[in-house]
Amino acid sequence: MERLLSVLTEKRVLFSVSFVVRLALVLYGDYQDRNMVVKYTDIDYHVFTDAARFITEGQSPYNRSTYRYTPLLAWLLTPNIYLSVVFGKLLFIVCDVLSGLLIYKLLCLRGVSCQIARYVSSLWLLNPLPMGVSSRGNAESILSALVLGTLLCMEVRRLAWAAVLYGLSVHMKIYPVTYALPIALSLRSPHTKTTTEHWSWRTAFGFIGSFLNSKLILFASVAGGVFFTLTALFYYMYGWVFLHETYLYHLTRRDIRHNFSPYFYMLYLTADSRWSQALGLAAFLPQLILLVVSSWTFHRDLAFTCFLHTAIFVSFNKVCTSQYFLWYLSLLPLVIPHLTLSVKQGVMLLLLWFAGQALWLAPAYFLEFEGHNTFFLIWLAGLFFLVINSFILVQIIAHYKSRKSLERQKAE
Amino acid sequence: MYFLRFYLFLCSAPCVYLLKEDGDEDLCFFLEGVKPSLSVELSNKGFHREVVTTVELGSETPGDVRALLVYTWPRGVYVDPYQLAFLSDLRGWQMLFNTTIDLEEPAHRTSAFLTYVYPSHNGPTPGPLTVTIPIHGRYHKPAFDGKSFTPVHIELPELLLWTKKCTPIQRLEPHTLLDAPCNASNTSICSWIKIQLSHKNSTLSLHLPVGDGPTVTLVCTGTLLVTVICCAVLCHSILKHQIT
């Protein structure tokens, strides 16, 4: 068994096998779509393809109802129309394997031995969840590759490239914008402790001044430049509907249909009441507070902060679907080698996470497909899932040893 | 001069009438013999259902008769045009919508809509036509009267017939004339004959679950309490284990 594991995780074998398995799934998916009633391909893939078709006809991709992404994605998938409809899936599985490669490189740079780095990367590369998601035609792997690429460039101090990839990732989906705070905190000048402990104007100015250094200004201007250039270009091409569907819809989204979010039932019951706005704001505050606190305390370890940020953002969001889990699962392999949890504890936490989802999926199935009124149970399951996610995050935080503290321990 | 014109008119009118009389017997005679029946069933449970419509036109119906089913859907349900486009090759019928469909809006923010369904006719004599339309329930406003479900009533579709040879102007009772698109590509309008049918039930009903309005205070309090506690616990853990 161990011999099989070491052969499988040998570098060339690992990446080849993970690509071939994904390719096989794409081909199988094509067969299932043609021959069976239940389709393999995700509905989102049809949305992307329809939007790409509109572009090839010279129209706006937003003519396709429920296309709520950047036009860049539809442009990237125009070969779906000109070459083959399977092109997009091939692009997604390549980005998926690339994400695995970036995880491996990042782990090596963060002081993990190459053998352990390969084992941990195989948690992503041989994991059926990202395999299934990318072969079904979801575009999440493009974003995970961009975010991992940003972290890798930050790690090797190639700030301009990191900024380009970061600007591109924020353009594609809004949630990486939360990484701006820890990135800014990690790039600011080291804070020199003043003699006095009391707050004064000098310490305040010193704090603000620490943000004004060449590295941070370079990062901000390149990332901002990439983001605003793309926004301006697509606004010029497609107008207000681009801004609304790509950004504003997601910021103001009030999908009252059942989803994993703990706020789902509260927002459904109050959708048309005068408390709706206030409750929406109340729902936003825990997210905001946690993002600021975690940035401030952990910004020196950027990969860990980004993982925490994303996990907190998804768990406390007003809408949460299973696609969002991939956003932080792609960063989890960077955290795992630094956890002092035993394998048994790790597996228990994983099973707990799955149990939380199963407890939600059961009443949701009965609501949607059997027509029972299980709203109250779904609400309770959503709250329970938040409790489980919080517990898991607390365990990860409590058992995390960053590279610096490990080195300090060794020195002692 | 006038007399000549009038005389010619008097002579031609009976000829036209005679021609039409002969034509009518061939053209719209079938309407008197045709006894179509239409039955509609609702299958599946929950928010995703299927409306199965079976139309039997009768054996005396001419082979080139085309049927059109006009559905008036209530705002509590919707039909997904993208799902239909994907499955249209398998289904053998085409649907035309009279409006764009928002797939996510709750029921009270949308309105009823019409669809025209054009079954494709196979062979010279049309047999029973079966059309299965997948429909999806919309979310409704929470109920404050203690009821867990809200009813959605779907009217039975109207059956319209058309044949190239028949251009009726009279003798249609109890049927009526109706203008509707000739086909699903909506390029022209034709004059269809709306068939008067007798139904045992005039509507189908489905019941969709709705939220429980009176529990709003409990739900809001419980949600905010749990989220604030989880936030506080996480903050405490983060600050306790910060990287110094």
Side-chain angles (χ1 to χ4, degrees), chain B residues 69-75 77 98 112-116 153-158:
Chain B
L69 291 160
V70 182
Y71 292 83
T72 307
W73 301 104
R75 59 188 190 177
V77 296
N98 76 331
F113 64 101
L114 281 180
T115 60
Y116 302 93
H153 304 294
I154 302 174
E155 290 171 27
L156 295 188
E158 294 169 345

Short mmCIF file of all heavy atoms in Angstrom, two decimals, chain B residues 69-75 77 98 112-116 153-158:
data_model
loop_
_atom_site.label_atom_id
_atom_site.label_comp_id
_atom_site.label_asym_id
_atom_site.label_seq_id
_atom_site.Cartn_x
_atom_site.Cartn_y
_atom_site.Cartn_z
N LEU B 69 -51.51 24.09 -28.90
CA LEU B 69 -52.00 24.14 -27.53
C LEU B 69 -51.55 25.45 -26.91
O LEU B 69 -50.37 25.76 -26.91
CB LEU B 69 -51.44 22.97 -26.71
CG LEU B 69 -51.97 21.59 -27.10
CD1 LEU B 69 -51.04 20.50 -26.62
CD2 LEU B 69 -53.36 21.39 -26.50
N VAL B 70 -52.51 26.22 -26.41
CA VAL B 70 -52.17 27.50 -25.79
C VAL B 70 -52.36 27.37 -24.29
O VAL B 70 -53.48 27.15 -23.81
CB VAL B 70 -53.05 28.65 -26.33
CG1 VAL B 70 -52.63 29.96 -25.69
CG2 VAL B 70 -52.95 28.73 -27.83
N TYR B 71 -51.26 27.46 -23.55
CA TYR B 71 -51.30 27.35 -22.09
C TYR B 71 -51.23 28.74 -21.48
O TYR B 71 -50.40 29.56 -21.89
CB TYR B 71 -50.11 26.55 -21.57
CG TYR B 71 -50.10 25.10 -21.94
CD1 TYR B 71 -49.62 24.68 -23.17
CD2 TYR B 71 -50.55 24.13 -21.04
CE1 TYR B 71 -49.61 23.33 -23.51
CE2 TYR B 71 -50.53 22.78 -21.36
CZ TYR B 71 -50.05 22.39 -22.60
OH TYR B 71 -50.03 21.06 -22.93
N THR B 72 -52.06 28.98 -20.49
CA THR B 72 -51.93 30.20 -19.68
C THR B 72 -51.41 29.76 -18.33
O THR B 72 -52.12 29.12 -17.55
CB THR B 72 -53.30 30.89 -19.52
OG1 THR B 72 -53.86 31.09 -20.81
CG2 THR B 72 -53.13 32.23 -18.83
N TRP B 73 -50.15 30.07 -18.06
CA TRP B 73 -49.53 29.64 -16.81
C TRP B 73 -49.70 30.71 -15.74
O TRP B 73 -49.49 31.89 -16.02
CB TRP B 73 -48.04 29.39 -17.01
CG TRP B 73 -47.72 28.35 -18.05
CD1 TRP B 73 -47.27 28.58 -19.32
CD2 TRP B 73 -47.83 26.94 -17.91
NE1 TRP B 73 -47.09 27.40 -19.98
CE2 TRP B 73 -47.42 26.36 -19.14
CE3 TRP B 73 -48.23 26.09 -16.88
CZ2 TRP B 73 -47.41 24.99 -19.36
CZ3 TRP B 73 -48.20 24.72 -17.09
CH2 TRP B 73 -47.80 24.19 -18.32
N PRO B 74 -50.02 30.28 -14.51
CA PRO B 74 -50.11 31.27 -13.43
C PRO B 74 -48.72 31.71 -13.00
O PRO B 74 -47.72 31.08 -13.38
CB PRO B 74 -50.79 30.48 -12.31
CG PRO B 74 -50.36 29.07 -12.56
CD PRO B 74 -50.23 28.92 -14.03
N ARG B 75 -48.66 32.78 -12.19
CA ARG B 75 -47.34 33.28 -11.80
C ARG B 75 -46.65 32.41 -10.76
O ARG B 75 -45.50 32.62 -10.44
CB ARG B 75 -47.44 34.71 -11.30
CG ARG B 75 -48.34 34.89 -10.13
CD ARG B 75 -48.51 36.36 -9.87
NE ARG B 75 -49.16 36.61 -8.62
CZ ARG B 75 -49.38 37.80 -8.12
NH1 ARG B 75 -49.00 38.86 -8.80
NH2 ARG B 75 -49.97 37.94 -6.97
N VAL B 77 -45.79 29.36 -11.10
CA VAL B 77 -44.89 28.38 -11.72
C VAL B 77 -44.17 29.04 -12.89
O VAL B 77 -44.55 30.13 -13.32
CB VAL B 77 -45.65 27.12 -12.24
CG1 VAL B 77 -46.28 26.37 -11.10
CG2 VAL B 77 -46.64 27.48 -13.30
N ASN B 98 -44.59 34.08 -24.73
CA ASN B 98 -45.02 35.44 -25.07
C ASN B 98 -44.25 36.50 -24.31
O ASN B 98 -44.48 37.69 -24.47
CB ASN B 98 -46.53 35.61 -24.82
CG ASN B 98 -46.87 35.76 -23.34
OD1 ASN B 98 -46.18 35.23 -22.48
ND2 ASN B 98 -47.95 36.47 -23.05
N ALA B 112 -48.52 36.16 -14.79
CA ALA B 112 -48.89 35.01 -15.61
C ALA B 112 -48.31 35.18 -17.02
O ALA B 112 -48.03 36.30 -17.45
CB ALA B 112 -50.40 34.89 -15.68
N PHE B 113 -48.11 34.08 -17.71
CA PHE B 113 -47.57 34.16 -19.08
C PHE B 113 -48.20 33.08 -19.94
O PHE B 113 -48.78 32.11 -19.43
CB PHE B 113 -46.04 34.07 -19.07
CG PHE B 113 -45.49 32.76 -18.58
CD1 PHE B 113 -45.04 31.80 -19.48
CD2 PHE B 113 -45.42 32.49 -17.23
CE1 PHE B 113 -44.53 30.58 -19.02
CE2 PHE B 113 -44.92 31.28 -16.76
CZ PHE B 113 -44.47 30.33 -17.66
N LEU B 114 -48.08 33.28 -21.24
CA LEU B 114 -48.66 32.33 -22.21
C LEU B 114 -47.57 31.55 -22.90
O LEU B 114 -46.48 32.09 -23.14
CB LEU B 114 -49.40 33.11 -23.30
CG LEU B 114 -50.79 33.66 -23.04
CD1 LEU B 114 -51.27 34.37 -24.30
CD2 LEU B 114 -51.77 32.57 -22.69
N THR B 115 -47.86 30.30 -23.22
CA THR B 115 -46.95 29.59 -24.12
C THR B 115 -47.78 28.92 -25.20
O THR B 115 -48.90 28.45 -24.97
CB THR B 115 -46.13 28.51 -23.40
OG1 THR B 115 -47.00 27.56 -22.83
CG2 THR B 115 -45.23 29.09 -22.33
N TYR B 116 -47.23 28.89 -26.39
CA TYR B 116 -47.84 28.21 -27.54
C TYR B 116 -47.02 26.96 -27.81
O TYR B 116 -45.82 27.04 -28.05
CB TYR B 116 -47.82 29.11 -28.78
CG TYR B 116 -48.51 30.43 -28.60
CD1 TYR B 116 -47.82 31.57 -28.20
CD2 TYR B 116 -49.88 30.56 -28.84
CE1 TYR B 116 -48.45 32.78 -28.03
CE2 TYR B 116 -50.52 31.78 -28.69
CZ TYR B 116 -49.80 32.89 -28.27
OH TYR B 116 -50.43 34.09 -28.11
N HIS B 153 -53.11 27.11 -9.17
CA HIS B 153 -54.08 26.52 -10.09
C HIS B 153 -53.66 26.76 -11.53
O HIS B 153 -53.37 27.90 -11.91
CB HIS B 153 -55.47 27.14 -9.85
CG HIS B 153 -55.94 26.98 -8.45
ND1 HIS B 153 -56.23 25.76 -7.89
CD2 HIS B 153 -56.11 27.90 -7.46
CE1 HIS B 153 -56.58 25.93 -6.62
NE2 HIS B 153 -56.53 27.21 -6.34
N ILE B 154 -53.61 25.69 -12.29
CA ILE B 154 -53.20 25.79 -13.69
C ILE B 154 -54.42 25.49 -14.55
O ILE B 154 -55.05 24.43 -14.41
CB ILE B 154 -52.08 24.78 -14.00
CG1 ILE B 154 -50.89 25.04 -13.09
CG2 ILE B 154 -51.66 24.87 -15.46
CD1 ILE B 154 -49.79 24.01 -13.22
N GLU B 155 -54.76 26.43 -15.44
CA GLU B 155 -55.91 26.21 -16.33
C GLU B 155 -55.54 25.19 -17.40
O GLU B 155 -54.37 25.08 -17.79
CB GLU B 155 -56.28 27.52 -17.04
CG GLU B 155 -56.89 28.53 -16.12
CD GLU B 155 -57.01 29.88 -16.82
OE1 GLU B 155 -57.12 29.90 -18.07
OE2 GLU B 155 -56.97 30.90 -16.11
N LEU B 156 -56.55 24.50 -17.88
CA LEU B 156 -56.30 23.57 -18.98
C LEU B 156 -56.00 24.35 -20.25
O LEU B 156 -56.49 25.46 -20.44
CB LEU B 156 -57.52 22.67 -19.19
CG LEU B 156 -57.83 21.74 -18.02
CD1 LEU B 156 -58.92 20.76 -18.40
CD2 LEU B 156 -56.60 20.99 -17.57
N PRO B 157 -55.18 23.78 -21.13
CA PRO B 157 -54.81 24.54 -22.33
C PRO B 157 -55.97 24.62 -23.31
O PRO B 157 -56.90 23.80 -23.27
CB PRO B 157 -53.67 23.71 -22.91
CG PRO B 157 -53.91 22.33 -22.42
CD PRO B 157 -54.52 22.47 -21.08
N GLU B 158 -55.90 25.61 -24.20
CA GLU B 158 -56.86 25.72 -25.29
C GLU B 158 -56.31 24.94 -26.48
O GLU B 158 -55.11 24.98 -26.76
CB GLU B 158 -57.04 27.19 -25.69
CG GLU B 158 -57.67 28.01 -24.60
CD GLU B 158 -57.59 29.50 -24.89
OE1 GLU B 158 -56.82 29.91 -25.78
OE2 GLU B 158 -58.29 30.24 -24.19
#
